[in-house]
Amino acid sequence: MGGGRERVLRLAWLLSLGSPVTAGYAAFVGTSVVLVADLVRSVSESVAILLSWLSYRAVQRRPEPVDGSYVRSLYGRVGLAIAVVMWISAGLIAVGAIASLRDPQHVANVWAGVLVSAGGVVYNLWFWRRYLLIAQQDGPALFASQWRFYRAKAVVNATVLVSLIASSVLSSHAWSAYIDVAGSFAVAAFLLVSGAGSAGHALADMR
């Protein structure tokens, strides 16, 4: 059972490697602050997923039995590292969004971003369901945090998608340029809240 769960984590990380590539392409061809924010988010999430897989792998590969305190401590340290990565990413996105407030631009060529965001919603919903099933089968606490993580990822992908569509549809209005900036702040807020949740669970595990 542990091997099957590790394969799910490994698959999630391997697939996450494509996210910065697709998000980077969408940000390159499109004119949108929220797409740049989504690129930063995808990189930080790929790092977070990698750390989750490596921590579970480290526990499963130990030759001697491990006690619960060691596992909780390890997952706790990983959770704190993930929180720091998310907070740094949120700070970078917020700085970019604040700078864009001085001269907000209307979005253009965001078709790639729309496709990437829509695909991200489907992808994250699938892993959300997969991790939820594992957690319900008395899987380690790591998997409970993963299904919450992917649920939040699906929500923020949907937020980016709505932001891009709204900015494009309402582009004839001058104020619509601020929709893109608002989407960036929403992504930054998501990372801040997710990081706080990760840190909270991590500190609880380390007690």
Side-chain angles (χ1 to χ4, degrees), residues 69-91:
S69 61
Y70 168 81
V71 175
R72 288 191 299 272
S73 177
L74 175 61
Y75 290 162
R77 291 195 297 271
V78 170
L80 286 177
I82 290 173
V84 171
V85 170
M86 289 184 173
W87 287 335
I88 292 174
S89 300

Side-chain angles (χ1 to χ4, degrees), residues 2-3 61 65 69-70 81 89 104 108 128-129 143 170 180 185 193 198:
R61 298 296 174 88
S69 61
Y70 168 81
S89 300
W128 170 18
R129 177 63 177 169
F143 290 94
L170 301 172
D180 192 48
F185 280 119
V193 173
S198 177

Side-chain angles (χ1 to χ4, degrees), residues 2 5 24 41-42 48 59 72-73 86 90 92-93 96 109 112 125 133 135 138 156 158 163 170 198:
R5 292 170 176 174
R41 177 184 68 91
S42 66
V59 171
R72 288 191 299 272
S73 177
M86 289 184 173
L92 292 174
I93 293 171
N109 299 323
L125 285 176
L133 290 175
D138 296 325
V156 79
S163 173
L170 301 172
S198 177

Side-chain angles (χ1 to χ4, degrees), residues 23-72:
Y25 175 75
F28 177 75
V29 300
T31 303
S32 170
V33 178
V34 76
L35 288 178
V36 176
D38 199 46
L39 170 60
V40 176
R41 177 184 68 91
S42 66
V43 172
S44 68
E45 289 177 351
S46 183
V47 173
I49 295 168
L50 173 62
L51 292 174
S52 297
W53 168 44
L54 291 179
S55 64
Y56 185 77
R57 186 174 185 269
V59 171
Q60 295 297 312
R61 298 296 174 88
R62 285 178 68 93
E64 69 276 5
V66 294
D67 57 42
S69 61
Y70 168 81
V71 175
R72 288 191 299 272

Side-chain angles (χ1 to χ4, degrees), residues 9-194:
L9 286 164
R10 183 172 63 244
L11 175 63
W13 175 65
L14 289 174
L15 292 177
S16 76
L17 293 177
S19 183
V21 176
T22 55
Y25 175 75
F28 177 75
V29 300
T31 303
S32 170
V33 178
V34 76
L35 288 178
V36 176
D38 199 46
L39 170 60
V40 176
R41 177 184 68 91
S42 66
V43 172
S44 68
E45 289 177 351
S46 183
V47 173
I49 295 168
L50 173 62
L51 292 174
S52 297
W53 168 44
L54 291 179
S55 64
Y56 185 77
R57 186 174 185 269
V59 171
Q60 295 297 312
R61 298 296 174 88
R62 285 178 68 93
E64 69 276 5
V66 294
D67 57 42
S69 61
Y70 168 81
V71 175
R72 288 191 299 272
S73 177
L74 175 61
Y75 290 162
R77 291 195 297 271
V78 170
L80 286 177
I82 290 173
V84 171
V85 170
M86 289 184 173
W87 287 335
I88 292 174
S89 300
L92 292 174
I93 293 171
V95 169
I98 292 171
S100 298
L101 282 173
R102 299 176 182 175
D103 185 25
Q105 302 293 320
H106 287 285
V107 300
N109 299 323
V110 296
W111 57 269
V114 169
L115 292 176
V116 169
S117 298
V121 172
V122 176
Y123 158 81
N124 289 316
L125 285 176
W126 188 88
F127 273 102
W128 170 18
R129 177 63 177 169
R130 189 72 184 87
Y131 282 125
L132 179 60
L133 290 175
I134 294 176
Q136 290 174 338
Q137 296 169 357
D138 296 325
L142 174 69
F143 290 94
S145 66
Q146 287 297 299
W147 76 256
R148 294 188 184 94
F149 177 61
Y150 275 92
R151 179 182 61 182
K153 276 164 56 65
V155 170
V156 79
N157 271 122
T159 301
V160 172
L161 179 61
V162 171
S163 173
L164 292 174
I165 293 175
S167 296
S168 299
V169 172
L170 301 172
S171 60
S172 59
H173 302 279
W175 53 265
S176 66
Y178 290 96
I179 296 176
D180 192 48
V181 179
S184 296
F185 280 119
V187 173
F190 156 77
L191 289 171
L192 282 174
V193 173
S194 297

